[in-house]
Amino acid sequence: MADDAIRCDACPVLCYIKPGRTGSCDRYGNRDGQLVRLDPHVMLEQARSRGESLVPFLEKSREWDGTLVRDEDTFVTAIGAGTTYPDYKPAPFIISSEVAGIDMVTIVTEGIFSYCGVKLKIDTDRHLGAECNTVRAQGEAVGHVTTGEYGSQMLSLGGVRHLTGGSRQEGTATCDALLNLCNGKAVELEIDGGAKVVVQADKPPIVDGMQEERMRVGCGSATIGMFAKQWFGKVDEVVVVDDHITGVLSEHQAGKLLGVAETGIKLLGRRSTPGRYFRVAEPGTSWGGTNISDPLSILAPFDPKVAKPGLRLLMVSTTGEQFAYFELDETLQPIEKDLPTPLRESVQRIRENCEPALCTVLFMGGAGGSLRAGVTENPVKLTHSVREALTRVTCGGAPVYVWPGGGITIMADVSRMPANAFGYVPTPALVAPIEFTLKLSNYKTLGGYMDHVRPLRSIQRDNEAQRRVTSRVDNPWPLRKTGAEE
Ligand code: SF4
């Protein structure tokens, strides 16, 4: 081993780094014999403190001029703060600040998560793949399809089994996909027996090469409920085609209440309750998330005892993207005609009521392991303190949802965090920022490293390695009391 190489002890890889070089995760380097964290340490500044623009997460256009800013308007995130490994060492930054006359402390660390994942909500009606099917990135299994939710398909990616339990390539591809998704980059995923989808936080999904535009307004039955009045009198029958629940106006309770007459329509599929049909077709990427391109394929012949020639029928999908208008001829065959203007408006109304389709990336990790030992000598006390809402957990200053039950299992929307908040180490594991903020007196009670507490001003002097970012206005300010503390 060359004498001039230094050892990085920020993760279990324990790289030896030569002068001017970086370690295998590119987070640490050897600069003139010193081990340095290469990315700037991100500080959040409250937008209102300097009359800044309210544009979320504005990177400051000018360098910090060196003037002291008020403690309560500055928050030290864990982004770029570094890690301490093994975790029995105090976290890299344990920073005190005074907020509204109260001494607070924020403990920050870039946690190394071998147990972590991403929950993906993809707003689309299109069928991406069957539940439990494997999701792949770079050809490797990185997760699976989970439940479909109302107008969205959920995927679960990562987790310890993919990160550490499979082949080296599987772990690396999983870590890569999680890292890119968490840092707001686009990732192409392929689902076994299903679609290829390009996913990016806060952007519309691209399913099999087609960019999704809208979420459905509701299931077929809900759509009937929402728009029945607007159709009444303008058309005799409406079928809202949907993979889950297809609605039929004349049979539906909404149609009955309006006095819509029977039309003799017969739907293929399993009738659930009046006007609501399950499984009218197979799942797919066409009309209402089914595999049909011809809506008439879900209809049986009209009942000749009830149906009349000239009967007007609108068929529409739950996003309003697909629609067709028919009139019955003398033999009760539906003949396609141009959509009359009043119905065009109602189809437009469905589209108008659809939210833009987006992908949501939630990072999920558990701070139940040794990371807590970087905060206190008695880690379970930190867990209790989080449970009692005495300690607020944030990820890069963004709010997190703390799961009930044991441990500190959190979820955070990555789009509420500053850009490039995540890193990785080649164990493989994701590096995610995590901050714990609490009253200094409570920190002492839970066995905190009081001799490592240093004031905010002590790190403000060292601004060369800092990046200051204006806090996102719709995030709660991490130093403000939560409801439970008040
Ligand atoms: S992978 Fe990164 S954090 Fe881990 S030892 Fe190497 S340089 Fe340090």
Side-chain angles (χ1 to χ4, degrees):
M1 182 59 53
D3 286 336
D4 48 1
I6 50 175
R7 189 174 194 183
C8 175
D9 60 357
C11 95
V13 177
L14 299 172
C15 300
Y16 279 97
I17 311 175
K18 290 188 174 160
R21 306 290 286 272
T22 60
S24 52
C25 71
D26 291 335
R27 293 191 312 135
Y28 285 89
N30 178 341
R31 190 181 287 161
D32 305 326
Q34 296 288 318
L35 180 71
V36 289
R37 178 74 176 90
L38 295 170
D39 300 320
H41 185 190
V42 174
M43 316 278 278
L44 286 185
E45 235 175 66
Q46 251 194 117
R48 62 181 173 80
S49 67
R50 290 187 178 184
E52 290 283 353
S53 148
L54 293 183
V55 175
F57 276 146
L58 188 73
E59 183 142 5
K60 298 190 75 66
S61 50
R62 56 189 159 77
E63 283 306 308
W64 180 45
D65 61 10
T67 53
L68 287 182
V69 290
R70 296 193 316 156
D71 281 10
E72 49 204 295
D73 290 332
T74 307
F75 180 74
V76 183
T77 76
I79 303 165
T83 37
T84 44
Y85 175 80
D87 298 293
Y88 61 78
K89 286 182 261 180
F93 290 90
I94 303 179
I95 303 298
S96 63
S97 56
E98 194 185 307
V99 180
I102 298 168
D103 288 327
M104 303 291 291
V105 63
T106 301
I107 302 98
V108 311
T109 191
E110 288 183 303
I112 302 174
F113 291 89
S114 299
Y115 292 76
C116 74
V118 150
K119 304 293 172 221
L120 267 179
K121 172 174 171 281
I122 302 173
D123 301 337
T124 181
D125 249 5
R126 288 173 229 284
H127 178 69
L128 299 185
E131 234 168 77
C132 302
N133 277 15
T134 298
V135 178
R136 295 180 189 276
Q138 301 169 35
E140 298 291 335
V142 300
H144 64 273
V145 179
T146 170
T147 49
E149 302 297 346
Y150 213 88
S152 310
Q153 179 58 65
M154 312 298 284
L155 307 185
S156 177
L157 305 189
V160 69
R161 281 188 53 210
H162 289 295
L163 279 168
T164 69
S167 65
R168 184 87 207 164
Q169 295 94 306
E170 180 175 336
T172 306
T174 303
C175 189
D176 206 42
L178 297 183
L179 178 67
N180 285 326
L181 284 169
C182 288
N183 278 340
K185 300 198 174 98
V187 170
E188 184 176 276
L189 301 170
E190 191 164 6
I191 295 163
D192 285 1
K196 264 193 188 154
V197 56
V198 178
V199 181
Q200 186 171 9
D202 232 16
K203 295 274 185 323
I206 300 170
V207 182
D208 285 335
M210 274 179 53
Q211 182 167 313
E212 193 63 279
E213 278 181 32
R214 291 181 168 79
M215 279 181 86
R216 63 182 179 161
V217 71
C219 69
S221 171
T223 311
I224 298 266
M226 291 165 89
F227 299 104
K229 261 193 189 159
Q230 301 181 29
W231 291 319
F232 187 60
K234 295 175 187 156
V235 66
D236 302 306
E237 184 64 279
V238 181
V239 176
V240 184
V241 182
D242 175 32
D243 172 38
H244 307 125
I245 306 173
T246 288
V248 179
L249 176 67
S250 64
E251 296 177 1
H252 194 277
Q253 184 67 1
K256 294 278 180 231
L257 290 171
L258 285 167
V260 174
E262 284 185 32
T263 58
I265 196 164
K266 282 192 185 154
L267 237 76
L268 304 174
R270 182 157 70 80
R271 190 167 178 266
S272 158
T273 51
R276 299 167 77 251
Y277 290 82
F278 299 161
R279 302 204 61 172
V280 294
E282 292 303 314
T285 55
S286 195
W287 276 64
T290 69
N291 62 344
I292 59 159
S293 49
D294 173 12
L296 295 179
S297 63
I298 64 169
L299 300 188
F302 277 74
D303 181 353
K305 291 195 207 94
V306 185
K308 303 264 181 319
L311 186 136
R312 301 164 298 172
L313 165 69
L314 169 67
M315 297 188 81
V316 63
S317 68
T318 43
T319 54
E321 275 171 278
Q322 294 99 353
F323 56 86
Y325 172 75
F326 305 92
E327 289 180 10
L328 296 193
D329 68 6
E330 294 304 317
T331 64
L332 302 180
Q333 290 301 310
I335 307 296
E336 188 162 3
K337 302 253 166 103
D338 282 347
L339 190 69
T341 304
L343 291 182
R344 196 167 290 280
E345 283 162 10
S346 80
V347 169
Q348 181 56 31
R349 181 63 58 85
I350 295 178
R351 294 169 70 97
E352 243 178 73
N353 272 267
C354 294
E355 299 284 328
L358 293 175
C359 301
T360 310
V361 178
L362 296 188
F363 166 74
M364 183 163 172
S370 54
L371 186 145
R372 293 173 303 164
V375 179
T376 160
E377 286 169 348
N378 192 358
V380 74
K381 285 198 166 182
L382 177 66
T383 312
H384 294 162
S385 181
V386 170
R387 290 264 150 260
E388 289 158 20
L390 296 174
T391 295
R392 170 178 281 191
V393 189
T394 47
C395 267
V400 303
Y401 173 76
V402 181
W403 279 74
I408 307 172
T409 304
I410 52 155
M411 282 200 311
D413 178 353
V414 302
S415 63
R416 300 182 76 169
M417 299 164 69
N420 294 318
F422 290 80
Y424 80 101
V425 292
T427 51
L430 213 61
V431 175
I434 188 159
E435 303 98 21
F436 300 93
T437 301
L438 66 163
K439 282 187 193 162
L440 190 61
S441 55
N442 288 338
Y443 187 51
K444 189 173 181 190
T445 311
L446 62 79
Y449 298 103
M450 296 305 285
D451 50 346
H452 282 77
V453 175
R454 47 186 167 141
L456 182 62
R457 285 177 180 81
S458 72
I459 63 165
Q460 284 180 352
R461 276 188 226 115
D462 175 29
N463 75 326
E464 191 195 325
Q466 287 176 9
R467 183 161 66 100
R468 304 177 78 83
V469 168
T470 306
S471 70
R472 191 175 153 131
V473 287
D474 54 352
N475 280 348
W477 183 241
L479 290 167
R480 205 168 292 139
K481 286 181 188 173
T482 61
E485 289 169 81
E486 284 164 343

